C-alpha cells in the first residue's frame, strides 16, 4: 500500500535551519523571496548528490539497452550566452507563465496554478480561489465558502475548476486566495521568466543579456566542439550541472520552486530511428537512479505529460515523462523532480537556423548526414536535495533528538563520528588517532563534548550513519563500539578494521 508522506514541513525547515542545512538568503536583511543559501551540512549533502549523479551518469554510466557501455561526456558552459541563443531556443517568445495579481492583497499568482471551489450546481454564486497542491490554501477556500453559505461545506459538495477556464464574468465572482471580497484578481497576463542583465558599461537594448533559465542550451551550442574534440560517436550524451535562474511568479514550498537553483542535465544525441528506444531507456534509468540513492519506491512515480503541458520543444507523439516525488506539501499527490523529454531535433535545428552554422552529424557507419534527435533527462539538483531531505526526515519520539535524518550513506554529509567516552584516561589520544586515519578518506567529525547521549542526538540530526566510541575497554582490546544510526544497535569493531568496515558500508552501497 502506498504510504502518504506526512511529515510537517515546518519541522523539516526548522531542523534544516538549526543544523546548518539551509538558510534564507540575505537573512539579516529580511531575506529575498525565492533565494536560499546552503549551510555547511547542506552544501555537503548537495555536493554528495551532485557527485553521485556525475559518477553514475558520466564517469560510470549504465550499460545501454543492448548491454554495451554508453558514452557520456561532461561540460561546464557559461551562465550568460549570446542573447540570440534564447531567441533560437524559444525562451524569449515562449518561456512565459500566465500571471494574475490581486489588486487588494498585492499578492501575485500563477494563473495555471489557481483553482476555484464553488458549491455544486450554484451557477450564480461566488467561487473561491486556492493554490494547486496546497492543502492549506484549499482548506481556507472551503472555509470561506462555508462562511458565505453559513454552514460547514464538505469537499464532496463542491465543484473545482481551473481559474484559466473561467469566463471574464466568472472571474469577477472569484475571491482570491488572500482576498475577502470578489473581483480583485486581474486578467492573466504573460510574464517572461528570464532574468535580464546588461553586458558591459552601457545599459542599452543592444547590451541586454539573460541569465540562463536552463543549462541545456550551453550543451547544444557546444555540440560541434565536443564531436570535433572527443572522438565521440552518435549516440552519446553531454552532461552538465550548474545554476539556472527563473524569475518565478510564485516561488514557494521552500527550495522546491526558487528563483536561483541548480540543474543536472544530459542531452542524449541519437538517430531519430532509435530515439524512442533511448527515450524508454532514460526514463527507466532515471527512475531507478532516484531509488538507488534512497528515495523509496512508494514516493517515486513516473507520469506522462498531458498534451497541454508539453514544452515548446517536446516532440509530437513522444512527449515528456516526469519523475515525480511525493513531497509532504503535495501529498497524497506528487510533484515534479525531473523531466525526461524527447526534444526531437528542435534545438539543433533552431540553432542552425539562427546561427547559420551547420550542426549536423555525419555517421560513417550509416553513411548518412543528419541532425541528431535528443532525449533529455533534466533533473533538479536543488529539488533533488529537498526530496532527499524529506525522505530522510524520520520522527522518533523515543530518541533524545526526537528525529533523525536517515540519509543514504552515499549522501550523508558526515560519514562517521569519533567520540572518546570521557575526555581523559588515554581515550582522547586513541580517538584522535582513529579520527586522523578516517578523515584522510571521508568527512568525519570528532566530538568530545557533553554526554554520549547528546553527542548521538547531534549526529542523528545531522544524519551521520555511524558513531565510533572509544571507551576504557578500547585501550585493552584495541576495538571501538560502533553505533548504527537507524537501528541504534551497537557492536565492537577492531580499531585496525574500522576503515575497511566503513568503506564496505558507505562506498559499495
Ligand atoms: N532543460 C529542460 C528543463 O529545464 P524543466 O522541467 O523546466 O526542464 C527541469 O526543469 C528540472 O529543473 C525540474 O524537473 C526541476 O527539478 C528543476 N526546476 C525547474 N524549475 C525550478 C525552480 N524554479 N526551482 C527549483 N527547481 C526547478
Amino acid at each position: 500500500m502506498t504510504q502518504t508522506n506526512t511529515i510537517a514541513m515546518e519541522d523539516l525547515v526548522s531542523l534544516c535551519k538549526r543544523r546548518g542545512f539551509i538558510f534564507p538568503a540575505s537573512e539579516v536583511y529580511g531575506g529575498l523571496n525565492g533565494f536560499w543559501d546552503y549551510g555547511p551540512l547542506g552544501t555537503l549533502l548537495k555536493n554528495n548528490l551532485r557527485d553521485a549523479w556525475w559518477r553514475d551518469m558520466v564517469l560510470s554510466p549504465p550499460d545501454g539497452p543492448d548491454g554495451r557501455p554508453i558514452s557520456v561526456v561532461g561540460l561546464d558552459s557559461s551562465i550568460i550566452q549570446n542573447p540570440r541563443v534564447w531567441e533560437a531556443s524559444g525562451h524569449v517568445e515562449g518561456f512565459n507563465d500566465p500571471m494574475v495579481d490581486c489588486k487588494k492583497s498585492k499578492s501575485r499568482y500563477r494563473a495555471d496554478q489557481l483553482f476555484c471551489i464553488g458549491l455544486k450546481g450554484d451557477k450564480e454564486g461566488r467561487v473561491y480561489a486556492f493554490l494547486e497542491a496546497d492543502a492549506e490554501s484549499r482548506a481556507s477556500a472551503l472555509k470561506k465558502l462555508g462562511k458565505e453559505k453559513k454552514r460547514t461545506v464538505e469537499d464532496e459538495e463542491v465543484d473545482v475548476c481551473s481559474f484559466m477556464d473561467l469566463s471574464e464574468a466568472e472571474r469577477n465572482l472569484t475571491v482570491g486566495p488572500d482576498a475577502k471580497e470578489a473581483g480583485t484578481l486581474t486578467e492573466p497576463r504573460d510574464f517572461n521568466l528570464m532574468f535580464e542583465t546588461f553586458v558591459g558599461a552601457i545599459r542599452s537594448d543592444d547590451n541586454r543579456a539573460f541569465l540562463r533559465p536552463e543549462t541545456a542550451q550551453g550543451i547544444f551550442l557546444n555540440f560541434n566542439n565536443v564531436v570535433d574534440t572527443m572522438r565521440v560517436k552518435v549516440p552519446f550524451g553531454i552532461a552538465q550541472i550548474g545554476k539556472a535562474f527563473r524569475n518565478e511568479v510564485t516561488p514557494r514550498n521552500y527550495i522546491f520552486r526558487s528563483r536561483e537553483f541548480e540543474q543536472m542535465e544530459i542531452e542524449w544525441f541519437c538517430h531519430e530511428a532509435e530515439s524512442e528506444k533511448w527515450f524508454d531507456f532514460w526514463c527507466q534509468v532515471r527512475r531507478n537512479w532516484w531509488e538507488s540513492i534512497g528515495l523509496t519506491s512508494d514516493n517515486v512515480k513516473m507520469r506522462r505529460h498531458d498534451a497541454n503541458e508539453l514544452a515548446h520543444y517536446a516532440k509530437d507523439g513522444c512527449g515528456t515523462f516526469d519523475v515525480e516525488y511525493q513531497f509532504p506539501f503535495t501529498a497524497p499527490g506528487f510533484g515534479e523532480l525531473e523531466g525526461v523529454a524527447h526534444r526531437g531535433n528542435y534545438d539543433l535545428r533552431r540553432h542552425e537556423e539562427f546561427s547559420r552554422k551547420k550542426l549536423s552529424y555525419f555517421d560513417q557507419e550509416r553513411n548518412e548526414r543528419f541532425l541528431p534527435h535528443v532525449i533529455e533527462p533534466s533533473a533538479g539538483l536543488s529539488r533533488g536535495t529537498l526530496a532527499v531531505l524529506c525522505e530522510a526526515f524520520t520522527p522518533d519520539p523515543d530518541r533524545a533528538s526526537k528525529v533523525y535524518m536517515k540519509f543514504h550513506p552515499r549522501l550523508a554529509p558526515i560519514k562517521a563520528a569519533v567520540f572518546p567516552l570521557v575526555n581523559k584516561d588515554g581515550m582522547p589520544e586513541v580517538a584522535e588517532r582513529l579520527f586522523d586515519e578516517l578523515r584522510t578518506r571521508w568527512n568525519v567529525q570528532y566530538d568530545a563534548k557533553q554526554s554520549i547521549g547528546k553527542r548521538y542526538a547531534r549526529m542523528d540530526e545531522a544524519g551521520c550513519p555511524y558513531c565510533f566510541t572509544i571507551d576504557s575497554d578500547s585501550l585493552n582490546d584495541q576495538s571501538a563500539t560502533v553505533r548504527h544510526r537507524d537501528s541504534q544497535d551497537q557492536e565492537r569493531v577492531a580499531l585496525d578494521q574500522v576503515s575497511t568496515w566503513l568503506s564496505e558500508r558507505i562506498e559499495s552501497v
Side-chain angles (χ1 to χ4, degrees):
M1 212 181 77
T2 305
Q3 291 266 311
T4 304
N5 199 340
T6 54
I7 68 168
M9 271 312 280
E10 58 269 28
D11 293 343
L12 175 65
V13 171
S14 128
L15 181 139
C16 286
K17 174 87 205 308
R18 190 159 30 90
R19 293 312 317 263
F21 284 96
I22 296 169
F23 307 125
S26 328
E27 196 181 4
V28 293
Y29 289 98
L32 184 62
N33 196 8
F35 296 89
W36 298 92
D37 292 342
Y38 290 78
L41 289 190
T43 305
L44 287 164
L45 178 68
K46 178 159 67 67
N47 288 353
N48 289 345
L49 184 62
R50 176 197 70 187
D51 294 347
W53 184 90
W54 194 260
R55 166 145 296 286
D56 297 346
M57 296 297 126
V58 185
L59 304 181
S60 172
D63 287 343
D66 56 5
R68 292 215 300 261
I70 62 167
S71 165
V72 180
V73 293
L75 185 79
D76 188 1
S77 71
S78 256
I79 284 174
I80 295 179
Q81 301 280 356
N82 187 309
R84 292 272 288 159
V85 169
W86 308 107
E87 289 171 32
S89 68
H91 284 85
V92 169
E93 206 186 324
F95 197 51
N96 301 313
D97 274 345
M99 177 180 81
V100 164
D101 285 313
C102 176
K103 289 178 261 179
K104 251 301 167 351
S105 69
K106 305 290 176 226
S107 306
R108 180 162 277 187
Y109 313 102
R110 259 180 60 182
D112 57 334
Q113 288 171 355
L114 275 185
F115 283 77
C116 301
I117 282 182
L119 217 50
K120 265 193 181 136
D122 182 9
K123 291 271 178 272
E124 317 284 79
R126 285 181 179 185
V127 292
Y128 291 84
F130 65 94
L131 297 165
E132 183 196 21
D134 183 334
E136 226 171 274
S137 166
R138 189 191 164 101
S140 148
L142 262 182
K143 204 164 153 196
K144 284 196 248 174
L145 178 63
K147 211 163 166 193
E148 184 205 319
K149 303 292 171 200
K150 300 198 171 50
R151 64 183 178 83
T152 310
V153 176
E154 305 290 342
D155 251 332
E156 52 284 358
E157 297 173 285
V158 298
D159 272 335
V160 176
C161 69
S162 158
F163 182 77
M164 301 282 277
D165 295 338
L166 299 180
S167 66
E168 201 182 326
E170 288 167 325
R171 284 179 188 155
N172 284 332
L173 285 176
T174 304
V175 181
D178 302 294
K180 294 199 174 72
E181 60 206 81
T184 63
L185 296 179
T186 62
E187 284 297 294
R189 284 175 292 146
D190 268 349
F191 172 75
N192 193 289
L193 298 185
M194 281 195 295
F195 275 105
E196 289 181 9
T197 187
F198 296 91
V199 175
I202 300 166
R203 296 183 152 256
S204 70
D205 280 349
D206 289 346
N207 295 331
R208 193 183 302 279
F210 301 99
L211 305 191
R212 68 180 176 203
E214 60 173 14
T215 63
Q217 294 305 321
I219 296 181
F220 298 121
L221 301 175
N222 282 290
F223 175 71
N224 276 355
N225 286 336
V226 171
V227 169
D228 292 347
T229 54
M230 295 305 294
R231 305 177 73 199
V232 279
K233 288 196 179 126
V234 168
F236 74 95
I238 305 180
Q240 165 154 244
I241 301 177
K243 292 246 173 171
F245 302 82
R246 297 183 188 177
N247 198 2
E248 296 284 355
V249 178
T250 47
R252 65 195 172 106
N253 289 329
Y254 203 25
I255 56 171
F256 178 81
R257 178 170 294 112
S258 47
R259 288 178 165 142
E260 175 177 341
F261 56 95
E262 280 173 272
Q263 292 186 314
M264 311 185 283
E265 299 200 293
I266 300 170
E267 307 302 324
W268 177 257
F269 300 94
C270 59
H271 191 279
E272 180 177 13
E274 294 191 330
S275 61
E276 298 214 17
K277 173 181 83 179
W278 286 111
F279 184 60
D280 293 344
F281 168 79
W282 281 109
C283 285
Q284 196 61 46
V285 164
R286 295 304 308 147
R287 190 214 153 104
N288 292 350
W289 186 80
W290 285 109
E291 288 185 25
S292 80
I293 51 102
L295 304 190
T296 43
S297 64
D298 274 354
N299 283 337
V300 182
K301 75 166 194 207
M302 299 296 287
R303 184 183 70 86
R304 195 186 196 109
H305 272 209
D306 297 335
N308 62 2
E309 293 177 81
L310 289 176
H312 52 272
Y313 48 72
K315 185 177 152 62
D316 290 347
C318 255
T320 300
F321 265 99
D322 280 348
V323 184
E324 293 191 327
Y325 180 72
Q326 187 181 213
F327 291 95
F329 45 82
T330 58
F334 288 67
E336 177 184 340
L337 182 60
E338 168 164 357
V340 185
H342 191 317
R343 293 180 80 121
N345 62 11
Y346 175 87
D347 303 271
L348 291 180
R349 182 162 41 79
R350 295 275 292 188
H351 287 306
E352 269 204 340
E353 277 167 33
F354 278 68
S355 70
R356 297 177 197 279
K357 299 272 162 26
K358 278 259 160 284
L359 292 173
S360 58
Y361 171 83
F362 182 71
D363 189 325
Q364 289 180 338
E365 267 167 59
R366 290 174 191 265
N367 197 22
E368 183 188 343
R369 179 166 283 283
F370 58 90
L371 267 187
H373 278 230
V374 171
I375 309 302
E376 177 198 62
S378 169
L381 172 56
S382 323
R383 209 175 271 186
T385 305
L386 178 59
V388 166
L389 283 164
C390 293
E391 184 78 42
F393 189 91
T394 315
D396 180 355
D398 297 333
R399 297 190 185 217
S401 55
K402 307 293 177 217
V403 61
Y404 64 104
M405 297 300 281
K406 199 176 178 174
F407 294 124
H408 189 284
R410 252 184 117 180
L411 302 185
I414 302 168
K415 303 296 185 202
V418 179
F419 307 149
L421 183 62
V422 289
N423 215 3
K424 55 182 182 186
D425 301 338
M427 290 178 222
E429 289 75 11
V430 179
E432 276 166 24
R433 260 202 310 279
L434 179 62
F435 172 62
D436 283 341
E437 181 195 339
L438 300 182
R439 72 193 297 210
T440 58
R441 295 182 64 181
W442 301 288
N443 185 42
V444 180
Q445 253 189 27
Y446 183 85
D447 190 357
K449 294 201 190 93
Q450 296 184 307
S451 71
I452 198 81
K454 285 201 172 128
R455 284 180 262 173
Y456 283 152
R458 266 202 296 275
M459 285 302 129
D460 278 351
E461 282 196 331
C464 168
Y466 304 107
C467 295
F468 294 91
T469 303
I470 303 299
D471 53 24
S472 51
D473 288 344
S474 305
L475 307 179
N476 303 322
D477 68 3
Q478 294 300 307
S479 61
T481 299
V482 56
R483 181 244 195 200
H484 296 243
R485 173 195 65 201
D486 300 348
S487 61
Q488 301 182 75
D489 288 347
Q490 301 194 356
E491 59 181 299
R492 297 289 284 181
V493 179
L495 286 175
D496 60 2
Q497 289 303 308
V498 169
S499 204
T500 317
W501 189 97
L502 203 52
S503 143
E504 280 163 6
R505 279 155 187 85
I506 62 183
E507 280 170 358
S508 40
V509 282

